[in-house]
PDB file of all heavy atoms in Angstrom:
ATOM      1  N   LYS A 296       8.734   6.960   6.042  1.00 99.00           N
ATOM      2  CA  LYS A 296      10.195   6.860   5.949  1.00 99.00           C
ATOM      3  C   LYS A 296      10.620   7.026   4.495  1.00 99.00           C
ATOM      4  O   LYS A 296      10.259   6.231   3.638  1.00 99.00           O
ATOM      5  CB  LYS A 296      10.668   5.500   6.473  1.00 99.00           C
ATOM      6  CG  LYS A 296      12.148   5.202   6.206  1.00 99.00           C
ATOM      7  CD  LYS A 296      12.578   3.859   6.801  1.00 99.00           C
ATOM      8  CE  LYS A 296      14.029   3.522   6.401  1.00 99.00           C
ATOM      9  NZ  LYS A 296      14.471   2.225   6.952  1.00 99.00           N
ATOM     10  N   VAL A 298      13.880   7.070   2.923  1.00 99.00           N
ATOM     11  CA  VAL A 298      15.322   6.892   2.725  1.00 99.00           C
ATOM     12  C   VAL A 298      15.540   6.552   1.248  1.00 99.00           C
ATOM     13  O   VAL A 298      15.265   5.442   0.801  1.00 99.00           O
ATOM     14  CB  VAL A 298      15.892   5.812   3.669  1.00 99.00           C
ATOM     15  CG1 VAL A 298      17.374   5.582   3.387  1.00 99.00           C
ATOM     16  CG2 VAL A 298      15.702   6.236   5.121  1.00 99.00           C
ATOM     17  N   PHE A 300      18.127   6.094  -0.438  1.00 98.00           N
ATOM     18  CA  PHE A 300      18.970   4.908  -0.531  1.00 98.00           C
ATOM     19  C   PHE A 300      19.567   4.631   0.840  1.00 98.00           C
ATOM     20  O   PHE A 300      20.012   5.544   1.529  1.00 98.00           O
ATOM     21  CB  PHE A 300      20.082   5.062  -1.577  1.00 98.00           C
ATOM     22  CG  PHE A 300      20.665   3.724  -1.943  1.00 98.00           C
ATOM     23  CD1 PHE A 300      20.028   2.918  -2.877  1.00 98.00           C
ATOM     24  CD2 PHE A 300      21.800   3.233  -1.300  1.00 98.00           C
ATOM     25  CE1 PHE A 300      20.513   1.653  -3.177  1.00 98.00           C
ATOM     26  CE2 PHE A 300      22.289   1.964  -1.605  1.00 98.00           C
ATOM     27  CZ  PHE A 300      21.648   1.181  -2.546  1.00 98.00           C
ATOM     28  N   ASP A 301      19.551   3.349   1.211  1.00 98.00           N
ATOM     29  CA  ASP A 301      20.074   2.954   2.512  1.00 98.00           C
ATOM     30  C   ASP A 301      21.274   2.032   2.343  1.00 98.00           C
ATOM     31  O   ASP A 301      21.129   0.831   2.140  1.00 98.00           O
ATOM     32  CB  ASP A 301      18.965   2.256   3.322  1.00 98.00           C
ATOM     33  CG  ASP A 301      19.439   1.854   4.712  1.00 98.00           C
ATOM     34  OD1 ASP A 301      20.513   2.327   5.127  1.00 98.00           O
ATOM     35  OD2 ASP A 301      18.713   1.081   5.385  1.00 98.00           O
ATOM     36  N   GLY A 303      23.302   1.717   4.736  1.00 98.00           N
ATOM     37  CA  GLY A 303      23.626   1.344   6.103  1.00 98.00           C
ATOM     38  C   GLY A 303      24.505   2.416   6.761  1.00 98.00           C
ATOM     39  O   GLY A 303      24.655   2.444   7.966  1.00 98.00           O
ATOM     40  N   LYS A 308      26.034  -1.994   4.903  1.00 98.00           N
ATOM     41  CA  LYS A 308      25.355  -3.257   4.600  1.00 98.00           C
ATOM     42  C   LYS A 308      26.256  -4.118   3.716  1.00 98.00           C
ATOM     43  O   LYS A 308      27.056  -3.592   2.956  1.00 98.00           O
ATOM     44  CB  LYS A 308      24.056  -2.973   3.817  1.00 98.00           C
ATOM     45  CG  LYS A 308      22.920  -2.420   4.640  1.00 98.00           C
ATOM     46  CD  LYS A 308      21.687  -2.253   3.759  1.00 98.00           C
ATOM     47  CE  LYS A 308      20.545  -1.632   4.545  1.00 98.00           C
ATOM     48  NZ  LYS A 308      20.062  -2.495   5.646  1.00 98.00           N
ATOM     49  N   MET A 316      17.665  -1.377  -1.719  1.00 98.00           N
ATOM     50  CA  MET A 316      17.486  -0.290  -0.756  1.00 98.00           C
ATOM     51  C   MET A 316      17.099   1.046  -1.392  1.00 98.00           C
ATOM     52  O   MET A 316      16.923   2.034  -0.711  1.00 98.00           O
ATOM     53  CB  MET A 316      18.728  -0.153   0.134  1.00 98.00           C
ATOM     54  CG  MET A 316      18.830  -1.283   1.136  1.00 98.00           C
ATOM     55  SD  MET A 316      17.364  -1.343   2.211  1.00 98.00           S
ATOM     56  CE  MET A 316      16.734  -2.971   1.853  1.00 98.00           C
ATOM     57  N   ASP A 319      13.741   1.967  -0.055  1.00 98.00           N
ATOM     58  CA  ASP A 319      13.606   2.315   1.358  1.00 98.00           C
ATOM     59  C   ASP A 319      12.848   3.633   1.566  1.00 98.00           C
ATOM     60  O   ASP A 319      12.674   4.094   2.677  1.00 98.00           O
ATOM     61  CB  ASP A 319      15.014   2.390   1.989  1.00 98.00           C
ATOM     62  CG  ASP A 319      15.048   1.937   3.433  1.00 98.00           C
ATOM     63  OD1 ASP A 319      14.084   1.282   3.870  1.00 98.00           O
ATOM     64  OD2 ASP A 319      16.019   2.267   4.131  1.00 98.00           O
ATOM     65  N   ASN A 351      21.073   7.650   3.211  1.00 99.00           N
ATOM     66  CA  ASN A 351      21.958   7.120   4.248  1.00 99.00           C
ATOM     67  C   ASN A 351      23.243   6.598   3.617  1.00 99.00           C
ATOM     68  O   ASN A 351      23.288   5.505   3.083  1.00 99.00           O
ATOM     69  CB  ASN A 351      21.236   5.994   5.010  1.00 99.00           C
ATOM     70  CG  ASN A 351      21.993   5.547   6.263  1.00 99.00           C
ATOM     71  OD1 ASN A 351      22.846   6.277   6.784  1.00 99.00           O
ATOM     72  ND2 ASN A 351      21.682   4.349   6.742  1.00 99.00           N
ATOM     73  N   ASP A 378      22.850   1.827  10.578  1.00 98.00           N
ATOM     74  CA  ASP A 378      21.903   1.175   9.682  1.00 98.00           C
ATOM     75  C   ASP A 378      20.494   1.140  10.282  1.00 98.00           C
ATOM     76  O   ASP A 378      19.530   0.823   9.586  1.00 98.00           O
ATOM     77  CB  ASP A 378      22.385  -0.246   9.357  1.00 98.00           C
ATOM     78  CG  ASP A 378      21.712  -0.828   8.125  1.00 98.00           C
ATOM     79  OD1 ASP A 378      21.039  -0.053   7.400  1.00 98.00           O
ATOM     80  OD2 ASP A 378      21.860  -2.036   7.885  1.00 98.00           O
ATOM     81  N   ALA A 379      20.356   1.458  11.551  1.00 98.00           N
ATOM     82  CA  ALA A 379      19.018   1.573  12.140  1.00 98.00           C
ATOM     83  C   ALA A 379      18.604   3.044  12.016  1.00 98.00           C
ATOM     84  O   ALA A 379      18.354   3.736  13.004  1.00 98.00           O
ATOM     85  CB  ALA A 379      19.023   1.106  13.587  1.00 98.00           C
ATOM     86  N   GLU A 380      18.573   3.533  10.765  1.00 99.00           N
ATOM     87  CA  GLU A 380      18.370   4.963  10.508  1.00 99.00           C
ATOM     88  C   GLU A 380      16.892   5.345  10.409  1.00 99.00           C
ATOM     89  O   GLU A 380      16.537   6.492  10.661  1.00 99.00           O
ATOM     90  CB  GLU A 380      19.101   5.370   9.213  1.00 99.00           C
ATOM     91  CG  GLU A 380      18.345   5.124   7.895  1.00 99.00           C
ATOM     92  CD  GLU A 380      18.114   3.651   7.573  1.00 99.00           C
ATOM     93  OE1 GLU A 380      18.761   2.789   8.187  1.00 99.00           O
ATOM     94  OE2 GLU A 380      17.261   3.365   6.713  1.00 99.00           O
ATOM     95  N   GLY A 381      16.056   4.378  10.052  1.00 99.00           N
ATOM     96  CA  GLY A 381      14.639   4.704   9.834  1.00 99.00           C
ATOM     97  C   GLY A 381      13.985   5.263  11.084  1.00 99.00           C
ATOM     98  O   GLY A 381      13.294   6.284  11.057  1.00 99.00           O
ATOM     99  N   THR A 406       9.722   0.953   5.732  1.00 98.00           N
ATOM    100  CA  THR A 406      10.443  -0.294   5.491  1.00 98.00           C
ATOM    101  C   THR A 406      11.507  -0.337   6.582  1.00 98.00           C
ATOM    102  O   THR A 406      12.670  -0.055   6.337  1.00 98.00           O
ATOM    103  CB  THR A 406      11.097  -0.264   4.095  1.00 98.00           C
ATOM    104  OG1 THR A 406      11.704   1.033   3.909  1.00 98.00           O
ATOM    105  CG2 THR A 406      10.082  -0.478   2.996  1.00 98.00           C
ATOM    106  N   LEU A 407      11.072  -0.665   7.796  1.00 98.00           N
ATOM    107  CA  LEU A 407      11.926  -0.388   8.953  1.00 98.00           C
ATOM    108  C   LEU A 407      12.924  -1.481   9.312  1.00 98.00           C
ATOM    109  O   LEU A 407      14.061  -1.179   9.639  1.00 98.00           O
ATOM    110  CB  LEU A 407      11.059  -0.057  10.178  1.00 98.00           C
ATOM    111  CG  LEU A 407      11.804   0.724  11.268  1.00 98.00           C
ATOM    112  CD1 LEU A 407      12.155   2.121  10.800  1.00 98.00           C
ATOM    113  CD2 LEU A 407      10.998   0.792  12.557  1.00 98.00           C
ATOM    114  N   THR A 408      12.486  -2.747   9.276  1.00 98.00           N
ATOM    115  CA  THR A 408      13.385  -3.814   9.736  1.00 98.00           C
ATOM    116  C   THR A 408      13.377  -5.032   8.820  1.00 98.00           C
ATOM    117  O   THR A 408      12.329  -5.465   8.350  1.00 98.00           O
ATOM    118  CB  THR A 408      12.976  -4.322  11.141  1.00 98.00           C
ATOM    119  OG1 THR A 408      11.711  -4.972  11.051  1.00 98.00           O
ATOM    120  CG2 THR A 408      12.908  -3.204  12.151  1.00 98.00           C
TER     121      THR A 408
HETATM  122 ZN1  LIG B   2      16.484   1.661   6.003  1.00 76.91          ZN
END
Side-chain angles (χ1 to χ4, degrees):
K296 170 178 175 180
V298 176
F300 197 82
D301 182 13
K308 285 183 183 295
M316 287 301 120
D319 214 16
N351 190 20
D378 198 11
E380 84 294 345
T406 44
L407 201 68
T408 67

